[in-house]
Amino acid sequence: NTNKFKTNLVAVFLTVPITRENVTFNSVLSSVLRRGSKNMPTQEQISRELENMYGASFDCGISKTGDNHILKFYIETINDRFLPQNGENMLKQSIEKLLEIVFNPLIENGKFKEEYVEQEKNNVKRRIEGKIDNKAKYAIERCLEEMYKDEAYGLYTYGYVEDLEQIGPENLYRYYKELINTCKIDIFVSGKIDSDISNLLIENENIKNLQSRE
């Protein structure tokens, strides 16, 4: 809780141990999830919803911390105290939108939308192949690969081109369900907030539908 900012930030982090088997799956998955949810099936629809929330911003990414892979999702909205007194609750709306994107993705016939999966596989491929363009960063990555060969920390954050072929809409969705049911989930909220924030999260249907974990 802070008065320093005029916006509220909500973030969801999904943390899993990184392995050669899942590193490329994680990279593609984070990109596919941002493409659409059950009630916002396209990026255009997501953008429209964000625009209606006074130009809220949404982003996602993936990072490697130690031997863990972290899928990160963010939404930032204007703090309610700077809005007209018309009963809107931007913090509640931002929580609902972000949790839907992460925990209620667009599914067609029991799998991810094939078009989205193929497009994001191509995007990931270009990103992996383009790592050599930044020579300084590429040198660091290669150094880590050699120093930590056969160890989790040596794996490249965005995966490997040769592993993309085995990823399809069906097995990516199976992997997503397994990840959501077992991964460490952290939800962060910063801005001018109050004690009701816990109830907003606990009462959210997507949170209620999560399986308990140790």
Side-chain angles (χ1 to χ4, degrees), residues 6-182:
K6 294 183 178 180
T7 58
N8 291 330
L9 179 70
V10 183
V12 175
F13 288 5
L14 309 178
T15 303
V16 294
I18 189 172
T19 67
R20 176 58 193 254
E21 289 72 30
N22 72 14
V23 61
T24 311
F25 271 87
N26 291 336
S27 184
V28 175
L29 177 61
S30 65
S31 299
V32 169
L33 289 177
R34 74 179 300 166
R35 294 294 300 271
S37 67
K38 180 179 180 180
N39 297 309
M40 299 179 290
T42 66
Q43 284 185 308
E44 180 183 1
Q45 181 65 39
I46 292 175
S47 297
R48 190 180 303 121
E49 294 288 339
L50 294 173
E51 191 63 33
N52 290 336
M53 295 166 62
Y54 297 91
S57 60
F58 164 72
D59 199 6
C60 73
I62 193 165
S63 65
K64 183 178 63 176
T65 302
D67 292 341
N68 290 319
H69 224 186
I70 307 175
L71 288 70
K72 303 178 178 181
F73 303 85
Y74 309 87
I75 189 167
E76 187 172 7
T77 55
I78 189 169
N79 193 284
D80 289 315
R81 60 191 168 134
F82 297 107
L83 296 177
Q85 299 299 312
N86 53 12
E88 293 180 286
N89 188 332
M90 285 297 108
L91 180 58
K92 183 175 186 294
Q93 289 188 46
S94 62
I95 289 174
E96 290 174 346
K97 300 301 182 187
L98 185 64
L99 295 184
E100 159 140 351
I101 290 171
V102 178
F103 300 113
N104 196 12
L106 175 64
I107 303 301
E108 294 183 345
N109 301 317
K111 59 185 179 182
F112 283 120
K113 188 178 178 70
E114 186 167 355
E115 177 186 359
Y116 290 174
V117 173
E118 291 305 315
Q119 289 174 349
E120 295 309 321
K121 283 170 60 178
N122 288 330
N123 290 335
V124 170
K125 180 181 180 182
R126 285 195 293 269
R127 184 160 197 167
I128 296 171
E129 293 176 337
K131 66 181 178 179
I132 197 172
D133 295 338
N134 185 328
K135 297 298 189 294
K137 191 172 182 180
Y138 179 66
I140 294 173
E141 291 290 347
R142 285 291 298 119
C143 179
L144 291 175
E145 286 178 2
E146 292 299 325
M147 289 177 63
Y148 297 94
K149 187 177 294 184
D150 301 323
E151 295 182 40
Y153 191 69
L155 295 170
Y156 183 55
T157 303
Y158 297 100
Y160 300 89
V161 171
E162 58 267 30
D163 293 343
L164 288 168
E165 295 181 2
Q166 63 178 310
I167 299 177
E170 298 93 346
N171 64 352
L172 184 63
Y173 182 52
R174 287 198 302 270
Y175 175 75
Y176 164 79
K177 290 192 293 183
E178 177 185 354
L179 181 145
I180 289 297
N181 288 333
T182 59

